[in-house]
Amino acid sequence: MGFCTDREDINSLCLTVVQNLIERNQISYEDIGRLEVGTETIIDKSKSVKTNLMQLFEDSGNFNVEGIDTTNACYGGTQALFNALAWVESSAWDGRYAVVVAGDIAVYATGNARPTGGAGAIAMLVGPNAPLIVERGVRYSHMQHAYDFYKPDMSSEYPTVDGKLSIQCYLSALDKCYQGYCKKAKTALLRESEVDRFSLDLFDAVCFHSPYCKLVQKSLARLALNDFIQDPSPDTSDAGKYSGLQGFKDLKLDETFFDRDVEKAFMTHSKALFETKTKPALLIANQVGNMYTPSLYGGLASILSTYTLDNIPGRRIGMFSYGSGFASTLFSLKVCDDGSPGSPLWKLMVSLQDLQERLDSRKCVEPSVFAEAMKLREDTHHLSKYTPVGSVDDLFPGTWYLTYVDDMYRREYTRKPTSALPSPITTTAPINNVESLQENSIPQKKHLEPATPMEQSQQTTSSTS
């Protein structure tokens, strides 16, 4: 899993990915008209992360940049994305790009939950000519009040968690979003199809917010359960699609969240689907941990890296975003058809070729080193007149890091030179290292491009815990 010492905070993580995005895609800061940040890692109750990022724009003289921070647990990055897409398709859009940043440092008190933490940030560029299309007219959200996971203690980075309720809320939100998505998709996507209802069969891949990997497998099984219940005449014969599930037809979804028999049956039933549609999306989650807001988009980068230019055009990818409290949305992406050399899709796929190499290039440390780093963060959280003591030697080239917090809590940062250490990120990654999403509405107008798919690997060391 990824973690940070006292040398990195949410501002430094976001500074790193935004500058990398701009540099690698050879974009001018003058061409950015909106900057949105989604995070739940709060180090100031008034000053936003976005305003800290504006120091990157100073040399360009561009201060006409809309947008601000969005906060709701792990959902903030998705809402920041939706805000940017709405701006690009509005009358306020002036033709410039929007940048969306999702970043967090997920830490837990000593105990069973601590290994489910993580850290990372992903920057996304919203603009024209993107290879991934955000499908229009099918997005479905479900918002509800619950105290499943929250952070009421402003003096601590650690959350208060009701574990059982959190799982129930997540699965309940997934049910509601999938049911709503399927109803909208029947109208918006199946007009010319011979299929009369939407099901998992029409997703080529499904990415989920990933608190931990086992929940993701259960979530895909949950969608298979929904398909089964919604099927008016499921084939439960020995050779049928739902063989062996005839005893589950009359289930009520709200009564099955912790039913082990149902869970086991549908995890078995959906195992092949999981292996092909979702397991590949867990590469980063498995090795970096739960990054909170960037989690879903790390899954997107992971699953795209498993395709080739020969088999990715036209694919549909389901995206389920969840943040405790709670807020959730299911939406989908469609890959464009043009994979010719030099095309945005070609650049995207080339940029993902070294994803595993980037992960492997991190430093692996003993659990005791991780525990010491967590103790250091706990002891120095919100100190003033403080100089961080964590090493900068293991930070990747181009990483921003904290150098000092003065007596008025003003934070100072610097950037590690891009050529300070050998790194596959700076020596082999293509210049145009881009992932893209495009709003499927007005052609050549509403698009989204996540930045380098593994920006978070540039700011985290790795623990074996």
Side-chain angles (χ1 to χ4, degrees), residues 67 79 95 119 136 190 223 246 264 268-269 273 275 346 391 407 411 425:
Q79 188 58 59
R136 193 176 185 185
L190 304 182
L223 297 188
Q246 56 270 20
K264 182 178 179 180
T268 300
H269 164 71
L273 290 177
E275 292 290 330
W346 179 86
S391 173
D407 59 348
R411 293 173 174 250
I425 295 174

Side-chain angles (χ1 to χ4, degrees), residues 388-407:
V389 299
S391 173
V392 300
D393 292 341
D394 296 325
L395 299 177
F396 280 95
T399 298
W400 282 83
Y401 59 92
L402 182 67
T403 58
Y404 186 62
V405 183
D406 72 12
D407 59 348

Side-chain angles (χ1 to χ4, degrees), residues 123-185:
M124 302 178 265
L125 183 68
V126 181
N129 302 318
L132 302 183
I133 303 167
V134 178
E135 294 191 296
R136 193 176 185 185
V138 292
R139 188 171 91 198
Y140 191 89
S141 297
H142 182 78
M143 312 280 178
Q144 193 171 327
H145 167 63
Y147 279 113
D148 56 331
F149 172 110
Y150 49 107
K151 296 178 179 177
D153 184 356
M154 297 302 294
S155 66
S156 171
E157 291 188 284
Y158 301 142
T160 298
V161 184
D162 184 331
K164 185 175 182 179
L165 178 60
S166 183
I167 294 172
Q168 179 176 328
C169 290
Y170 183 104
L171 296 177
S172 173
L174 179 61
D175 288 343
K176 298 295 193 300
C177 287
Y178 186 59
Q179 292 161 11
Y181 178 97
C182 288
K183 289 179 182 179
K184 297 178 79 171

